[in-house]
Amino acid sequence: VATEQGQSMHKQPNIILIFTDNQQAATLGCYGNDEIHTPNLDRLSESGVTFDNSFCANGFCSPCRASVLTGKLPSDHGVHSWLDDRKMADWPKDWHALDGLDTLPKALKSQGYSTALIGKYHLGQPTSPAEGFDKWVTLRDGHIRSFYRNKIFDNGDAYDHVGHSVDFFTDKGIEFIEQETQNENPFFLYLPYPAPYGHWPATKETDENRHTARYADCPMNSIPREPLSKAAVDGYMLRAADNSTHMDFSMLMRAPNDLGTLRNFYSQISMIDDGVGKIMKTLDRLNIAEDTLLIFTTDHGLSTGEHGFWGHGAATVPSNLHRAAHKIPMIMRQPNVTKPGLRSKLMVSNIDVFATILDHANAPFDDASGPSRSLKPVMEGLSPDDWGEDIVFSEQEETRVARTPKWALFKRFSSEKQTFGDELYDVENDPAERKNLVGDPAFAKIKQELSAKIDAFFDEHAQPNADLWKGGRPIQNSSRTKYWQQEWGETWSPVYAYDD
């Protein structure tokens, strides 16, 4: 709550974490896109700290959401793929994938914060709150079918909402902010928008929003038109064989040339920008902007035609974490705390949001227990003294990735039974990652060094029961079930929880 002079009486800052669904960094004006309309996010970037080299932990939404909320990689928390809510009727009652783990809402609640999830969940049963959340407003579907006409679960109530989900969750988020400001409580608002998403059927809808006309004649030159890749076709064939319930994955190959899809996708980004603007205006109206750390990021990137496909890391075989499906926006702002207009080149991950928030809130956490690193010094314009090597790691089932400012190595699981080739890119001279150098003897030492770093990192942070490379099992779903069964036997299958 603010005094007459506008100074905070809170000992702890409010935290707002705005999360989008499937969005690479290059879809925002502040990251160089000249066709998108994102004035509020551009203003947020100008007044806050923007991370130019921020990457996702994985190319699926459920694993990345789990990683942000726990500060751990999939090989530690166990969520390796999107949770398949087509099978929700078979899930255990009130089941949540992160039950029993230390999470952001649990840690902040223990420090006196009021906590809320308002938006897309996709980490378990949506009907009841996950551990640590006081307020719970979410929609039934994790796999977004529509931006409109959604079933809502609202703190025990269930109802249908016909309007746009971004506007709905923005208004609900503002209600929570107003209530907790009046109650003089520090609050944590996790606001994961179910947009822009990018997948059919949602982006195939003909419903018009207030930005539809803005893009009606947009040439969409910022979306590349490239020949279809063999890896995308192989990915489609694997999905078709693995899925017992029909889903149309052909859009992964068709969307880059479907102008209606592309323009709808961009209109949803502008809808999100409106929501961010309303949140920012609310903080100003309530005079709590200086008391509030506002973070904008996403779960993972989305290839919008780059490398010959549309989609995420598992849209190809082998899976990939190319820059387009891997690089994400990340902007942080708290007036008079963060350095306005700063752009950091540090290699960071959305896993780092976990340690950053807890550090900024003065909440206790064991910074040696996982890979999450606090960005608080960077936000304040300082150099983190204990950051260590400028490198970031990610994984997508059979693919593990190490990135430095100079190199990116995709290391694939390999055995006598099956193997995929590794890939090495000089991202400094080849930022689009077109020329695979892995077979060039001149770069053998670089490949060996990065491969060893990947092995050491996962040896340190993976848990045996969740490490797929050592026979571990994923929580609820895998996009590579048959692949892993060939390696570990037909009895290998996902689980809902690990044995104690």
Side-chain angles (χ1 to χ4, degrees):
V1 67
T3 66
E4 292 181 358
Q5 291 75 32
Q7 297 300 315
S8 171
M9 293 174 61
H10 287 154
K11 294 182 180 179
Q12 298 159 295
N14 305 312
I15 309 290
I16 299 177
L17 174 57
I18 299 178
F19 218 60
T20 63
D21 197 3
N22 301 8
Q23 185 176 9
Q24 63 161 292
T27 58
L28 295 180
C30 54
Y31 281 91
N33 191 308
D34 61 4
E35 289 188 313
I36 197 74
H37 179 74
T38 52
N40 293 301
L41 285 163
D42 298 344
R43 181 164 58 92
L44 183 67
S45 174
E46 291 169 359
S47 60
V49 177
T50 304
F51 292 88
D52 286 331
N53 289 308
S54 178
F55 298 91
C56 55
N58 180 279
F60 273 131
C61 59
S62 297
C64 287
R65 290 158 198 270
S67 289
V68 168
L69 293 176
T70 64
K72 301 176 183 296
L73 279 165
S75 286
D76 193 347
H77 58 61
V79 183
H80 283 271
S81 184
W82 58 287
L83 298 191
D84 190 351
D85 54 15
R86 296 171 300 170
K87 303 177 181 179
M88 192 181 298
D90 299 328
W91 293 359
K93 180 177 169 44
D94 296 329
W95 172 76
H96 297 283
L98 303 184
D99 280 348
L101 296 181
D102 294 329
T103 63
L104 271 177
K106 288 171 64 177
L108 293 171
K109 185 176 174 63
S110 72
Q111 297 301 303
Y113 276 76
S114 297
T115 61
L117 178 141
I118 300 176
K120 170 175 167 173
Y121 177 46
H122 210 181
L123 281 171
Q125 289 281 7
T127 54
S128 60
E131 293 177 339
F133 285 111
D134 298 315
K135 189 172 181 63
W136 185 261
V137 185
T138 190
L139 71 173
R140 176 187 59 199
D141 297 330
H143 178 80
I144 304 302
R145 276 79 173 176
S146 174
F147 299 115
Y148 303 86
R149 298 171 291 277
N150 283 288
K151 173 71 75 176
I152 301 296
F153 297 103
D154 185 345
N155 278 47
D157 294 330
Y159 51 87
D160 294 320
H161 178 72
V162 298
H164 200 286
S165 53
V166 169
D167 288 344
F168 172 77
F169 287 123
T170 298
D171 291 344
K172 284 290 184 178
I174 290 172
E175 287 180 13
F176 174 75
I177 293 170
E178 292 174 336
Q179 176 183 344
E180 298 310 318
T181 301
Q182 185 176 11
N183 292 341
E184 302 184 10
N185 292 328
F187 61 81
F188 170 55
L189 170 59
Y190 177 40
L191 183 60
Y193 286 129
Y197 199 60
H199 293 309
W200 294 349
T203 50
K204 197 71 169 174
E205 290 179 318
T206 58
D207 301 79
E208 294 190 354
N209 61 55
R210 59 182 168 272
H211 290 284
T212 300
R214 181 184 300 278
Y215 298 100
D217 298 317
C218 182
M220 304 304 296
N221 292 328
S222 54
I223 300 293
R225 312 297 202 277
E226 298 186 13
L228 187 64
S229 73
K230 180 181 182 300
V233 176
D234 290 344
Y236 171 75
M237 298 302 291
L238 180 143
R239 284 171 174 270
D242 261 5
N243 278 272
S244 57
T245 304
H246 176 71
M247 290 182 71
D248 182 8
F249 292 105
S250 65
M251 63 84 55
L252 301 178
M253 299 179 283
R254 295 163 57 194
N257 291 302
D258 188 304
L259 276 175
T261 293
L262 307 186
R263 289 166 176 165
N264 192 4
F265 180 61
Y266 270 30
S267 77
Q268 304 305 331
I269 295 172
S270 293
M271 291 291 287
I272 290 168
D273 185 77
D274 286 350
V276 174
K278 288 185 71 173
I279 295 294
M280 293 168 67
K281 286 181 180 178
T282 298
L283 299 181
D284 290 339
R285 172 171 57 85
L286 298 175
N287 206 18
I288 59 170
E290 293 183 4
D291 306 326
T292 305
L293 174 63
L294 177 60
I295 299 176
F296 177 87
T297 188
T298 189
D299 49 6
H300 57 82
L302 187 81
S303 179
T304 56
E306 297 91 347
H307 296 275
F309 72 97
W310 180 281
H312 40 59
T316 61
V317 172
S319 60
N320 76 88
L321 281 169
H322 280 300
R323 182 178 293 258
H326 191 194
K327 187 176 179 181
I328 59 173
M330 187 182 292
I331 307 169
M332 301 182 180
R333 187 205 73 169
Q334 183 176 347
N336 295 330
V337 175
T338 53
K339 187 174 181 180
L342 175 67
R343 299 193 77 105
S344 172
K345 299 296 183 183
L346 201 64
M347 306 294 291
V348 303
S349 168
N350 53 7
I351 289 179
D352 298 324
V353 169
F354 177 83
T356 301
I357 288 177
L358 294 183
D359 190 15
H360 194 66
N362 296 313
F365 70 100
D366 184 358
D367 58 0
S369 65
S372 185
R373 299 180 286 187
S374 175
L375 297 170
K376 183 181 177 183
V378 184
M379 290 194 308
E380 297 172 349
L382 304 174
S383 296
D385 295 330
D386 58 350
W387 188 258
E389 187 176 7
D390 197 8
I391 189 170
V392 66
F393 298 91
S394 305
E395 62 176 321
Q396 189 76 47
E397 299 217 20
E398 81 280 7
T399 302
R400 290 175 173 174
V401 183
R403 285 184 177 274
T404 73
K406 174 69 173 173
W407 302 103
L409 175 66
F410 298 1
K411 181 172 182 174
R412 268 57 187 246
F413 177 83
S414 179
S415 72
E416 294 180 356
K417 298 179 182 179
Q418 51 193 343
T419 186
F420 289 118
D422 297 340
E423 298 174 49
L424 176 68
Y425 298 98
D426 179 353
V427 295
E428 186 176 65
N429 296 306
D430 176 25
E433 301 171 355
R434 303 293 183 184
K435 186 176 182 180
N436 182 7
L437 303 173
V438 79
D440 190 330
F443 302 99
K445 183 178 180 181
I446 294 295
K447 189 236 178 181
Q448 182 180 20
E449 290 175 353
L450 289 174
S451 178
K453 291 180 186 296
I454 289 173
D455 290 345
F457 180 86
F458 283 91
D459 284 345
E460 179 180 0
H461 295 296
Q463 298 296 322
N465 54 10
D467 188 347
L468 306 187
W469 287 32
K470 295 182 179 179
R473 299 169 184 259
I475 296 292
Q476 203 277 315
N477 190 27
S478 168
S479 62
R480 300 287 189 262
T481 297
K482 292 184 178 180
Y483 174 87
W484 294 116
Q485 285 178 342
Q486 290 176 17
E487 187 63 34
W488 305 120
E490 289 297 320
T491 60
W492 185 96
S493 63
V495 297
Y496 284 102
Y498 301 119
D499 295 332
D500 293 334

